[in-house]
Every structure is written in structure tokens, then in C-alpha cells.
Amino acid sequence: MKVTFLGTGTSVGIPSIGCDCDTCLSDDERDKRLRASILIEHEERKILVDASTDFRYQALRCGLKHLDAILFTHAHADHCFGLDDTRPIMFRNKIEIPCYATAVTWEGLRRVYSYAFAPAVSGVPRIIPHTINDRFKLFGLEILPLTVMHGPLPVTAFRINDFAYVTDCHEIPEAALAQLRGLEVLVIDALRFKKHPTHMTLDQALAYIKIVKPHRALLTHISHDIKHAETSGHLPENVEIAYDGLEVTSS
Ligand SMILES: [Zn+2]
Ligand SMILES: [Zn+2]
Ligand SMILES: [Zn+2]
């Protein structure tokens, strides 16, 4: 399967409005980070993980015309406010898009998108909600939802075959950690250098990478504290900072 990083930034996006720090003013394209989301492509199927605030621009930028499913990690604004912008895909292709989330995440999504669940309303996102709590098959891929902690909020990490996407968390509980062994590619939250109550620092992410030992690790959900070129030089060999537009393959 192919994974494209549609966005690798923290909730405010980089550059951050009004900020004149080195990263926000950087000319390096890798320092321009839209809100975190990935697109998984497998045998002609396209699965979006989170519909970010920047979904519209992300879809236009990569020429996305179709979606077969959306997986949600949690219902924070930066991960779900783009769901409304998936409507052209639904309308043009005359489809309803199956969406997968845990009961906790659906609670948040139903609050934000109450109008999409109201009967007989037109012009709203057409979704087919699926509540997940255990492994399931999707277009031939084995998808294992794992619970990680984002402050007090349980967030869903996804292991898909030998690839895992672990965004928005400050802690990976033992049960999830046990399911992250033997990965070809691990994508993991690394917000900044300084401690944060709901996200991992770069050091915390590196510590988990050391435990899990993926073949390749990619950092995401990055704030302006981390400048791509500067920090990249100090990372272990199997660790890279992901950037918008990066494509990776995994089995
Ligand atoms: Zn986030
Ligand atoms: Zn800045
Ligand atoms: Zn979040």
C-alpha cells in the first residue's frame, strides 16, 4: 500500500498565523505543514485517515477525486472539520462514504455534524457510520484499531498490515504497544521539544520508537518548535520527520 502525507502539522498549522519564528518564516517547503492527515491507497482503493481542517486544499493539491472510506482517530477540530468538504466527492460520484470510528469518537462527530444525521436533509455529507472496537477487514487490508491516550481522551491509532499511524497522544498504553511490534513503518506524534499534557515530545516519541523498533519511523503532528532541516540532522538512522506530500510504501 501507498501512504501519502496530506498534512503533518499541529492543530494551528505551520506557518502559524502572525508568527515570525524561523520555522514559520522558513523557505523550506517541508516546514509548511497543513493539519495532520494521511491518504492510504491500496489496489485502487483510497482510504482517508482523518478529514483535516485543510482537507479541501489537500484534496485539490494531490488531485484527489474519489474516496472509498474514512477512518477517524478522534473528533478534535483539526482531525474532523474537513468532513463537510468531502461533499463534492460524495455528490459527484453519487456515493455515501463509509466512515469508521470508535463510539467515543462518534459521540464527538455526531455533535459537530448533527445536521448530517438529521433525516431527509439535502446538501449534507453522506456518510455510512461504522462503530469499531476490534480488528476489521477493509478492501483486503487488516485494520487493527488501538487505543492511545491524548490527555484524558482515548484516541484511535491504526495498525494496517505492517504500517501504523499513531497521531495525537502523550502515552501509548502497554496493550497498544504490544500490537506495534514488527512494523515496517510507524508514524508517530512528536509535537515539540518541551513537555505537553496531551502530545508527545520528540524525546518521548524517540523512546517509544526504541521500544517498538520499526524498520522506519516518521514523525508527524509537528509544531513550529521543530524546523525540518535543523532537527533532521540529530535523529537516529531509522527516524525521519514526515512532511506534506511525502509518499511511503508499506506491506
Ligand atoms: Zn491534532
Ligand atoms: Zn512560528
Ligand atoms: Zn487532538
Side-chain angles (χ1 to χ4, degrees), residues 9 40 63 72 83 91 105 143 166 177 193 209 212 216 220 229 231:
I40 295 168
F72 283 101
L83 179 60
F91 298 163
T105 298
I143 304 195
V166 187
L177 211 53
F193 302 109
I209 291 166
V212 171
R216 185 179 183 189
T220 193
T231 306

Side-chain angles (χ1 to χ4, degrees), residues 84-95:
D84 202 75
D85 284 341
T86 62
R87 288 175 305 147
I89 292 172
M90 297 165 180
F91 298 163
R92 185 159 297 114
N93 299 311
K94 296 186 174 50
I95 52 163

